[in-house]
Amino acid sequence: MNDMTDSLWTALTHIVTFNPDLVEIVLLSLRVSLSATLLSCLIGLIIGATIAVSRFRGRSLVIIVMNSLMGLPPVVVGLFVYLNLSRSGPFGWLGFLYTPTAMIIAQTILITPIVAALSRQILEDIYEEYREQFESLSLTKSMRTGAILWDGRYSLITVALAGFGRSTAEVGAVIIVGGNIEHLTRVMTTAIALETSKGNLQMAMALGLVLLCISLSINILVSSLRLTATRLGYA
């Protein structure tokens, strides 16, 4: 019990004193996750909005595939990216393997289906509400897409935050393509796994506490935005 208390106290000390190694890992984690989330939103929101306002043969199948891709196994995605970025792969010449860029690519592939599927459902509900009005005004598909994206902006922010939360918790894919290299590709999740295996519970607990705080902050933001959207009539 004393060892656990001492470890927790040391972990809190690392956080309060801004331990350089801890800060470096946290900042890299945020950079990778935020970059992947931004790219995922740019791609996923467009896909979700396009499918929401479109009616075509095979649409139901596309939606089923999108929903299925939300559960992509991270290690499979990591393997896919690794094979493509390795020296023998088609994109090996880029030299992205074992860099933060490879980690961003892997996380983007994982998060994009989540953003696309969730936003499609939200935007489709909004589109059905305004569909007759859009048709009476003879709006083009691009104008309809822009209108529902704006109207659903509060709900879509919660989708983006959900994607960010998923990316910060990712370990399987990023450790395959990043390699968990010190001072280069070591993020919070991979560092926690490494430090725990080494028996360095103080650093592992410090990183775990920071990760928990980030997750809690995301949940608070999501709840606050949902309440705001409901109060303003955008939910």
Side-chain angles (χ1 to χ4, degrees):
M1 185 66 181
N2 289 333
D3 291 339
M4 182 66 69
T5 303
D6 292 341
S7 297
L8 179 59
W9 178 255
T10 304
L12 292 173
T13 302
H14 285 325
I15 297 173
V16 174
T17 59
F18 294 97
N19 179 280
D21 291 334
L22 177 70
V23 172
E24 180 184 49
I25 292 171
V26 172
L27 290 178
L28 177 60
S29 300
L30 293 176
R31 179 162 68 91
V32 171
S33 296
L34 287 171
S35 299
T37 303
L38 177 60
L39 290 173
S40 299
C41 288
L42 291 175
I43 301 170
L45 291 179
I46 293 175
I47 295 174
T50 301
I51 295 177
V53 302
S54 301
R55 297 298 181 269
F56 53 88
R57 181 173 296 182
R59 182 174 180 274
S60 297
L61 178 60
V62 172
I63 293 175
I64 291 173
V65 172
M66 284 176 54
N67 292 335
S68 300
L69 290 177
M70 291 178 65
L72 275 174
V75 290
V76 174
V77 173
L79 177 61
F80 172 79
V81 176
Y82 178 90
L83 292 175
N84 280 275
L85 296 182
S86 63
R87 290 189 176 183
S88 58
F91 302 105
W93 57 275
L94 293 171
F96 285 163
L97 193 62
Y98 299 134
T99 66
T101 302
M103 300 161 69
I104 293 172
I105 293 172
Q107 287 196 3
T108 300
I109 294 174
L110 279 170
I111 305 169
T112 298
I114 298 175
V115 174
L118 294 179
S119 63
R120 193 276 310 169
Q121 183 61 61
I122 292 171
L123 296 174
E124 186 172 331
D125 292 340
I126 296 174
Y127 179 69
E128 290 300 326
E129 182 179 351
Y130 294 109
R131 185 173 183 177
E132 292 183 1
Q133 184 177 354
F134 289 156
E135 291 176 353
S136 66
L137 295 172
S138 300
L139 298 182
T140 63
K141 185 178 293 187
S142 60
M143 294 173 67
R144 298 182 187 191
T145 301
I148 62 174
L149 281 171
W150 176 254
D151 196 68
R153 59 192 182 278
Y154 286 102
S155 297
L156 293 178
I157 291 175
T158 65
V159 171
L161 289 173
F164 177 70
R166 175 68 178 84
S167 66
T168 57
E170 174 50 38
V171 59
V174 296
I175 201 170
I176 291 176
V177 301
N180 200 18
I181 303 171
E182 189 175 9
H183 304 306
L184 181 60
T185 60
R186 186 164 296 171
V187 293
M188 285 188 286
T189 51
T190 59
I192 290 172
L194 176 66
E195 299 300 338
T196 301
S197 65
K198 290 166 53 179
N200 186 5
L201 298 180
Q202 295 86 354
M203 181 60 74
M205 291 177 68
L207 290 166
L209 289 172
V210 173
L211 190 58
L212 282 174
C213 289
I214 292 174
S215 298
L216 181 60
S217 299
I218 292 171
N219 288 328
I220 292 174
L221 281 173
V222 169
S223 298
S224 300
L225 286 169
R226 283 177 178 170
L227 290 174
T228 301
T230 301
R231 187 170 62 252
L232 296 178
Y234 288 108

